[in-house]
């Protein structure tokens, strides 16, 4: 079983509230900036890949015609459906082939959702998603900028929850380009350990993935606002389009 099959649950939802002063507002800011830089309009169809609790969709839905959210966590989808009853949600693993009823103008992977699997699966993910794009559709990958991340990397972070705490211990596998993380969770007087990993990509890695998945690299932004990418950019926002 993959680590992400049961990682994203109510504990994760509670943790999201600790990673910024207001995660909901963070999602709003990301959507506002990305919608301007990519010029979303009320005719667009969005495919939100790994939609989680539906926070981004809450702000996206007023800007586009239709949203399809997909996720592999029933608990995250339950949260999303309550928050956005007017959005179409589907429980599925995008590592496997799938289809949606309306072709998407933009398929978006927010917050490093692209990076949970190995290279072979990631190529298949891109192929699966591209099959659900319109002729002019684009794939948006919101990734860690490795150059920026290494300067701010912390081996241990403690997150305080209302129900307890999470101690996150991280280790870099430079050769495989993986950030390996372990959560030690103390919650409701119960101790639990969880593992998760995120693959990170340099621009040349993205070009290679494109070649293998019949997509082409259109551009790379340094943040959601469309600013140019550099080694000092906080994010690596990759725009791909169909060949």
């Amino acid at each position: 079983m993959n680590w992400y099959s049961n990682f994203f649950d109510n504990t994760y939802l509670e943790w999201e509230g600790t990673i910024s002063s207001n995660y909901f507002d963070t999602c709003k800011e990301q959507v506002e900036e990305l919608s301007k830089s990519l010029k979303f309009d009320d005719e667009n169809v969005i495919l939100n890949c790994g939609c989680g609790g539906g926070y981004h969709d809450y702000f996206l839905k007023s800007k586009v015609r239709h949203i399809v959210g997909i996720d592999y966590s029933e608990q995250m989808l339950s949260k999303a459906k309550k928050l956005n009853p007017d959005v179409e949600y589907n429980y599925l693993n995008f590592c496997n082939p799938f289809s949606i009823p309306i072709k998407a103008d933009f398929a978006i992977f927010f917050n490093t959702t692209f990076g949970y699997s190995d290279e072979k699966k990631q190529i298949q993910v891109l192929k699966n998603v591209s099959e659900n794009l319109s002729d002019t559709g684009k794939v948006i990958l919101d990734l860690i900028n490795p150059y920026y991340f290494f300067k701010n990397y912390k081996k241990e972070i403690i997150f305080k929850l209302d129900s307890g705490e999470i101690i996150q211990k991280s280790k870099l596998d430079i050769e495989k380009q993986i950030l390996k993380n372990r959560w030690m969770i103390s919650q409701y007087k119960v101790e639990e350990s969880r593992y998760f990993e995120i693959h990170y990509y340099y621009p040349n890695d993205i070009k290679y993935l494109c070649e293998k998945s019949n997509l082409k690299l259109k551009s790379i932004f340094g943040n959601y606002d469309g600013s140019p990418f550099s080694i000092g950019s906080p994010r690596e926002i990759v725009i791909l389009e169909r060949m």
Side-chain angles (χ1 to χ4, degrees):
M1 180 180 292
N2 296 308
W3 65 264
Y4 48 78
S5 299
N6 54 16
F7 185 87
F8 299 99
D9 59 5
N10 290 328
T11 297
Y12 181 86
L13 284 167
E14 186 177 354
W15 168 80
E16 281 187 322
T18 72
I19 58 178
S20 70
S21 57
N22 190 324
Y23 184 64
F24 203 57
D25 285 347
T26 298
C27 294
K28 178 181 180 180
E29 183 179 349
Q30 291 172 350
V31 168
E32 290 294 334
E33 292 184 348
L34 197 62
S35 65
K36 291 177 182 177
S37 60
L38 295 178
K39 297 180 172 58
F40 294 162
D41 63 44
D42 57 10
E43 292 298 314
N44 289 154
V45 174
I46 302 290
L47 173 61
N48 188 351
C49 302
C51 61
Y55 302 124
H56 291 97
D57 299 329
Y58 184 82
F59 301 106
L60 275 170
K61 62 187 180 182
S62 63
K63 301 180 181 300
V64 299
R65 176 164 64 95
H66 188 70
I67 298 172
V68 178
I70 59 176
D71 205 283
Y72 199 38
S73 166
E74 292 180 340
Q75 287 176 294
M76 300 298 273
L77 285 174
S78 176
K79 172 76 173 180
K81 289 175 182 178
K82 290 178 182 177
L83 184 62
N84 305 300
D86 49 345
V87 171
E88 177 185 346
Y89 288 111
N90 294 281
Y91 172 71
L92 59 85
N93 183 351
F94 49 57
C95 292
N96 302 323
F98 67 92
S99 62
I100 59 175
I102 310 174
K103 296 295 185 181
D105 299 293
F106 296 95
I108 308 176
F109 293 79
F110 280 106
N111 295 339
T112 68
T113 304
F114 186 86
Y116 291 165
S117 302
D118 59 31
E119 179 185 292
K120 183 177 180 181
K121 285 186 178 180
Q122 295 295 62
I123 291 170
Q124 187 60 51
V125 166
L126 290 176
K127 289 181 178 179
N128 296 340
V129 169
S130 66
E131 288 296 315
N132 289 279
L133 291 177
S134 65
D135 291 341
T136 58
K138 295 176 177 59
V139 179
I140 315 302
L141 308 179
D142 173 10
L143 305 174
I144 292 172
N145 176 1
Y147 306 105
Y148 179 86
F149 176 78
F150 293 155
K151 290 184 178 180
N152 298 277
Y153 168 61
K154 296 180 180 179
K155 292 183 178 181
E156 181 174 308
I157 305 174
I158 299 177
F159 301 101
K160 296 294 184 180
L161 310 178
D162 290 339
S163 59
E165 71 174 18
I166 297 173
I167 300 175
Q168 176 177 292
K169 294 190 175 182
S170 303
K171 182 179 179 181
L172 284 170
D173 186 330
I174 301 296
E175 181 179 352
K176 295 182 179 179
Q177 295 182 201
I178 302 173
L179 174 62
K180 298 180 178 181
N181 305 278
R182 186 164 297 281
W183 274 8
M184 276 71 77
I185 305 170
S186 299
Q187 190 178 35
Y188 303 113
K189 298 182 180 180
V190 176
E191 304 291 325
E192 179 190 352
S193 178
R194 298 185 187 182
Y195 171 84
F196 71 99
E197 63 183 41
I198 299 173
H199 294 244
Y200 57 87
Y201 304 92
Y202 295 95
N204 283 340
D205 300 324
I206 298 299
K207 292 176 182 178
Y208 172 79
L209 291 176
C210 286
E211 291 173 2
K212 297 296 182 180
S213 55
N214 298 318
L215 292 167
K216 60 182 178 179
L217 176 61
K218 177 176 173 57
S219 56
I220 301 179
F221 298 156
N223 211 341
Y224 305 95
D225 60 5
S227 55
F229 178 76
S230 71
I231 61 174
S233 299
R235 301 299 293 175
E236 184 178 14
I237 310 295
V238 177
I239 319 299
L240 310 177
E241 56 186 11
R242 302 184 70 169
M243 297 287 279

